[in-house]
Amino acid sequence: MTTKVVVLDYGSGNLRSAQRALERVGAQVEVTADPAAAAAADGLVVPGVGAYEACMAGLRAVNGDKIVADRLAGGHPVLGICVGMQILFSRGVEFGVESVGCGLWPGSVVRLDAPVIPHMGWNVVDAAPGSTLFKGLDADTRYYFVHSYAAQQWEGNPDALLTWATHHVPFLAAVEDGVLSATQFHPEKSGDAGATLLANWVEGLS
């Protein structure tokens, strides 16, 4: 049976590249903001690029925050990507302005304290032991990042699987917390490694 995935269309993110990457690993993908389609899908992907506040405004405009919350309340998987990961946290602070996020995880997303910003390009991660997302991927595997902000500490579920990366300072590269997972990097831009990660996620939906 084909696994159905919805990429949430709220005006932000690499929607078509995410769609193609998921189709590459065998998912049937629809790009939409339709709540019924999002509720019925086996998996929901929340992409995101750009500013935290702009993404939250776009998400709220299509009731995306409720779509995500309703799926999680029903125990249905969600995957956030890049800013789609950041907005899962309670707050984002950009240019001194604090924005309210979805609040699914406590904590703030803040600017990386690094001499070169944005953190752009390929980097390794320290995958969490027992990770589903990084199953079969070597420790020296590189993933594609492009961001200036990140969650740099974890205040949520102590049983969550945390994957870290470093760009001058440590930051969360991925979180696996029950049915809610997210990556700060772009798996859809990370070649074969990203395809393996997405395949691992899709496999867990069936």
Side-chain angles (χ1 to χ4, degrees):
M1 189 173 70
T2 304
T3 302
K4 296 181 179 179
V5 174
V6 162
V7 175
L8 188 62
D9 183 2
Y10 64 100
S12 178
N14 301 291
L15 302 175
R16 299 304 168 190
S17 57
Q19 178 183 17
R20 287 192 297 270
L22 287 157
E23 288 174 342
R24 175 185 173 189
V25 299
Q28 178 182 321
V29 186
E30 183 179 3
V31 179
T32 182
D34 177 59
D42 298 306
L44 177 71
V45 173
V46 182
V49 296
Y52 190 105
E53 176 59 34
C55 283
M56 279 306 305
L59 193 70
R60 292 192 185 102
V62 299
N63 290 320
D65 48 347
K66 184 177 187 303
I67 289 171
V68 172
D70 286 350
R71 276 192 64 87
L72 296 175
H76 303 303
V78 174
L79 175 67
I81 294 175
C82 197
V83 184
M85 171 178 176
Q86 296 177 7
I87 58 178
L88 301 174
F89 288 86
S90 296
R91 296 172 300 279
V93 181
E94 292 184 342
F95 309 110
V97 177
E98 183 173 306
S99 303
V100 176
C102 292
L104 298 166
W105 290 326
S108 299
V109 171
V110 297
R111 192 175 190 272
L112 293 170
D113 182 14
V116 177
I117 291 292
H119 170 219
M120 183 163 59
W122 298 86
N123 200 351
V124 296
V125 304
D126 182 12
S131 166
T132 296
L133 291 180
F134 295 93
K135 183 177 64 177
L137 291 161
D138 296 332
D140 60 355
T141 300
R142 294 180 176 269
Y143 307 87
Y144 188 79
F145 291 84
V146 54
H147 63 116
S148 301
Y149 299 82
Q152 295 170 48
Q153 57 184 8
W154 178 252
E155 304 168 26
N157 176 12
D159 295 326
L161 300 180
L162 308 178
T163 290
W164 296 86
T166 301
H167 179 64
H168 196 67
V169 293
F171 64 90
L172 281 165
V175 175
E176 296 164 74
D177 182 16
V179 295
L180 181 57
S181 300
T183 66
Q184 178 59 67
F185 57 87
H186 286 276
E188 79 280 8
K189 295 182 178 179
S190 296
D192 290 343
T196 297
L197 183 143
L198 291 174
N200 287 340
W201 182 71
V202 168
E203 184 181 325
L205 301 177
S206 55

